[in-house]
Amino acid sequence: MKQLIGLTMLLGSSTLQAQSLDAALRQKMEYHLRQASEKYDIPNVEVLIIKDDTVFYHQSIGEHVSAHTPYYLGSVSKSLTALGLLKLIDLGKASLDDKLTDILPEIKLTQYAEEVTLRTLLNHTSGIAKRDGFQPVPKLNELAGWTVAINERPGLKREYSNLNYVLIGWVLEQIAGQSLDNYMRMHVFEPLKMQHTYACKKEIASQKVITQYQYFYGIPIKSSQVDYADAAIPAGFMISTAEDMGNYIRLSLNGGIFQDHILLSSQWIATMQTPWNGQDQGYGMGWKAGTWHNKRMFQHLGSTATSYAGLFLIPEDKLGFIVLTNSNTLWAAEDMIKGILNLLTGNEPALTSKEQLFRMGLGVLTLSFLLYYVYKTVAYWKKRNQKPRKRIVISLMVSLAMLASIVFAFPLVAGLPFGSLLSIQPDIGTSVLLFFGLPVIYQSILLVTPHKSVGG
C-alpha cells in the first residue's frame, strides 16, 4: 500500500511538473508573439499548436481574434491539393505514374511528354521552370493548343514552380468530374471538419478572408489581394483558419487518421512526406522534409502579396503548428516562426530581423534619390547650358541598358517577373524602378530640352 501511495505521489508530482513546464512555455510563446507583432508591425498573426492530438496553444494577436477568421494560405495550399489528389489515387481512380497528356490531352508539351507524370508534378520535378509559374494561364475549357515549356528532363532535378500545382488542380477536376472547390469541400474539408476552409473563386474569397495589408516602406497599408487567378487556387490561393488547419495537422501526425476516421492511408501520408530523391531532406508532395535542432521536421511555407503562412510538423514530439498572418514580410515572419520552433524544441527565441529598418531606410534613400534628381532637373532647366549631345546620348543609352537589364534580366536571375515584384513587394519594386528609371528620365530631359544660347 505504501508503495502504491508513493507511486501515486510520484505520478502526481510528474504531472504537476509537466503542467508547470507547459504553462511556462505558453507564457514564453505569448511574450514572443506579442514582441514580434509589435516589433515587425504585423497587423494580425494567429498561431495554433497541436500536441498529443489536442490544442496545446492558440492565440490571435491584432485586429481580429476569432478562431474562425480565414487567411490566405499561399503555397501551403499545395499540401492540401496534394492530399486531395492522393485521395483519388488511394481510391484507384488514378496513378502517380499517369501521364499528364493522357489526362489533359489538349495540353501540348515542348518535349518529354511521355515523362511528365502526376508524380513529377507533385514533386516539382516535371522540368517546368519557376518563372513560368507566374505567367497567365488559360481556363480549363480553353486548354486546346496551349503549350507548356519543359526545360529539363523530368525526374532529374527539382525546380519549384506554381504551374506544377495549377496543372494538378486541372488534373484533379478532370479525374473527379467536378470543380476543385466542390471536390475539396466534399472529400477533404468536410471529413476534416474544416468548416471555414475554401478553394473558391476570387469574388467569394474576398468576402470571407481577413482584411489584407501590404508594407510600404515599413508601414502596413490596407490592400486587396493581387495576382489572384482562379487557376492558381490549388497552388496558392486556398483560404483557411488556424482551427481548421489544426485538424489537418492532426491528420498528418496520425498517419491519415482524424477522429478515428481514415481519410487517407498511412502509406500515402508517408509518400507525401518523403523527399522526391529519397534523401532525408528535400521536397516531397506538399511537404518539405528537414530538421530543426536535430529533430525531424516537415514544413511548407506560403505567401501571397498580402499574407504569409507556415505549416510545421515535428512527429517525434507529436507536435505541429500553423502560423497565419494577413501581411507579407520578407524576413520578419520567418524570424517569428524560427522563434516558435526554438521554443518548441527547448531553445530560446531571438528576433534578429532588421526588415523594418531596411524598409524605412530604403524609403529614406528612395526619397533622397528622387529629390536629388528633381533638384538636378530644376537646376538644369534654369541654366540650360549646352552639353555635348554625344555625351548625353551615351549616358541615356547606358541608363536605358541598366533599366532594361533589371526589368528583363531579373526574371532570369530570381525566377520572378519584375511585375510580380512590384505587386508582391510594392515598396521594394518601386524603389528599384526609381533607382534605374530616374536617370533615364533625367537624360531624356537633357536630350529634348532647348538650350539657352551663350550669353542669353
Side-chain angles (χ1 to χ4, degrees):
M1 178 63 73
K2 290 182 178 179
Q3 289 178 336
L4 181 60
I5 293 172
L7 179 60
T8 303
M9 291 177 64
L10 179 61
L11 290 173
S13 176
S14 299
T15 301
L16 289 172
Q17 187 176 19
Q19 290 175 345
S20 178
L21 288 172
D22 286 350
L25 177 57
R26 291 188 186 95
Q27 287 180 349
K28 286 186 176 182
M29 190 70 66
E30 182 88 6
Y31 178 77
H32 169 67
L33 292 176
R34 293 195 178 279
Q35 188 182 35
S37 297
E38 182 177 341
K39 178 178 179 179
Y40 300 140
D41 205 359
I42 301 174
N44 220 89
V45 57
E46 191 158 355
V47 176
L48 185 137
I49 301 170
I50 298 294
K51 192 175 189 309
D52 297 324
D53 208 37
T54 61
V55 176
F56 172 78
Y57 179 85
H58 180 210
Q59 183 60 266
S60 180
I61 298 172
E63 300 173 333
H64 300 270
V65 294
S66 169
H68 306 306
T69 302
Y71 294 73
Y72 284 109
L73 294 177
S75 287
V76 172
S77 305
K78 293 180 175 70
S79 188
L80 293 170
T81 301
L83 176 72
L85 182 59
L86 287 173
K87 184 170 178 61
L88 284 174
I89 292 173
D90 195 21
L91 294 172
K93 296 186 178 182
S95 163
L96 282 177
D97 296 317
D98 285 347
K99 292 183 293 185
L100 172 65
T101 51
D102 283 348
I103 301 170
L104 298 172
E106 305 94 335
I107 294 177
K108 295 183 181 298
L109 305 181
T110 56
Q111 57 180 335
Y112 301 118
E114 296 294 310
E115 300 179 45
V116 178
T117 63
L118 303 189
R119 185 190 304 273
T120 64
L121 293 169
L122 287 164
N123 285 330
H124 292 288
T125 58
S126 64
I128 296 173
K130 177 182 177 180
R131 63 178 178 274
D132 290 338
F134 293 94
Q135 303 301 325
V137 296
K139 296 179 180 178
L140 180 59
N141 59 1
E142 300 172 349
L143 293 182
W146 184 53
T147 301
V148 176
I150 305 298
N151 300 289
E152 304 276 352
R153 185 165 190 170
L156 299 181
K157 174 185 174 183
R158 185 189 75 84
E159 183 170 359
Y160 187 94
S161 177
N162 289 325
L163 184 52
N164 285 307
Y165 275 75
V166 170
L167 293 169
I168 287 293
W170 285 333
V171 163
L172 195 154
E173 290 187 332
Q174 189 74 6
I175 296 172
Q178 59 187 138
S179 70
L180 177 73
D181 189 25
N182 286 339
Y183 172 80
M184 293 297 292
R185 185 176 66 254
M186 291 173 60
H187 300 284
V188 176
F189 302 152
E190 287 182 359
L192 285 175
K193 297 185 178 179
M194 298 173 73
Q195 299 175 359
H196 300 90
T197 301
Y198 312 92
C200 53
K201 296 183 181 299
K202 181 179 181 179
E203 293 76 15
I204 301 173
S206 62
Q207 297 169 14
K208 295 180 179 296
V209 78
I210 190 173
T211 303
Q212 304 288 289
Y213 290 84
Q214 284 186 294
Y215 289 95
F216 207 78
Y217 300 113
I219 301 171
I221 305 295
K222 286 185 179 180
S223 174
S224 59
Q225 184 61 265
V226 298
D227 289 349
Y228 192 111
D230 290 342
I233 293 170
F237 286 102
M238 291 187 189
I239 61 178
S240 187
T241 68
E243 186 175 63
D244 282 7
M245 291 303 292
N247 291 345
Y248 179 48
I249 289 171
R250 288 187 177 97
L251 177 92
S252 302
L253 288 171
N254 293 331
I257 299 173
F258 175 71
Q259 294 184 348
D260 297 325
H261 172 70
I262 300 175
L263 182 72
L264 189 66
S265 64
S266 59
Q267 74 173 88
W268 291 116
I269 295 293
T271 299
M272 290 179 71
Q273 298 173 358
T274 301
W276 70 275
N277 55 6
Q279 302 297 314
D280 289 336
Q281 300 192 25
Y283 199 94
M285 299 180 180
W287 287 100
K288 185 177 181 181
T291 59
W292 190 267
H293 293 300
N294 299 318
K295 289 182 181 288
R296 186 74 166 154
M297 181 181 75
F298 301 97
Q299 55 97 350
H300 208 302
L301 300 176
S303 63
T304 69
T306 57
S307 69
Y308 195 92
L311 177 65
F312 291 81
L313 304 176
I314 304 177
E316 175 186 336
D317 296 335
K318 297 181 181 179
L319 182 71
F321 68 92
I322 181 73
V323 177
L324 299 169
T325 71
N326 59 341
S327 59
N328 181 6
T329 63
L330 283 174
W331 314 294
E334 288 190 20
D335 202 38
M336 177 178 63
I337 288 171
K338 288 177 182 177
I340 296 172
L341 283 167
N342 279 341
L343 283 170
L344 293 176
T345 53
N347 297 277
E348 292 299 318
L351 298 176
T352 59
S353 173
K354 304 297 182 184
E355 179 169 339
Q356 291 298 92
L357 290 176
F358 165 76
R359 287 187 186 271
M360 289 187 287
L362 182 65
V364 171
L365 183 62
T366 302
L367 180 60
S368 301
F369 197 69
L370 178 62
L371 292 175
Y372 169 72
Y373 270 98
V374 169
Y375 168 77
K376 284 190 68 172
T377 302
V378 171
Y380 176 75
W381 184 262
K382 287 180 177 179
K383 295 182 178 180
R384 279 179 280 173
N385 295 331
Q386 182 68 44
K387 289 190 177 184
R389 185 176 180 82
K390 182 178 179 181
R391 193 174 79 181
I392 296 174
V393 170
I394 292 173
S395 296
L396 178 59
M397 291 301 100
V398 170
S399 297
L400 278 170
M402 293 178 68
L403 177 62
S405 68
I406 194 65
V407 172
F408 296 108
F410 181 82
L412 300 177
V413 177
L416 179 75
F418 189 78
S420 294
L421 175 65
L422 277 170
S423 61
I424 295 172
Q425 299 290 345
D427 51 356
I428 297 173
T430 299
S431 290
V432 172
L433 204 57
L434 286 174
F435 289 151
F436 289 93
L438 285 175
V440 172
I441 296 171
Y442 175 68
Q443 298 297 339
S444 299
I445 291 173
L446 296 190
L447 193 63
V448 301
T449 302
H451 299 97
K452 287 182 178 180
S453 58
V454 177

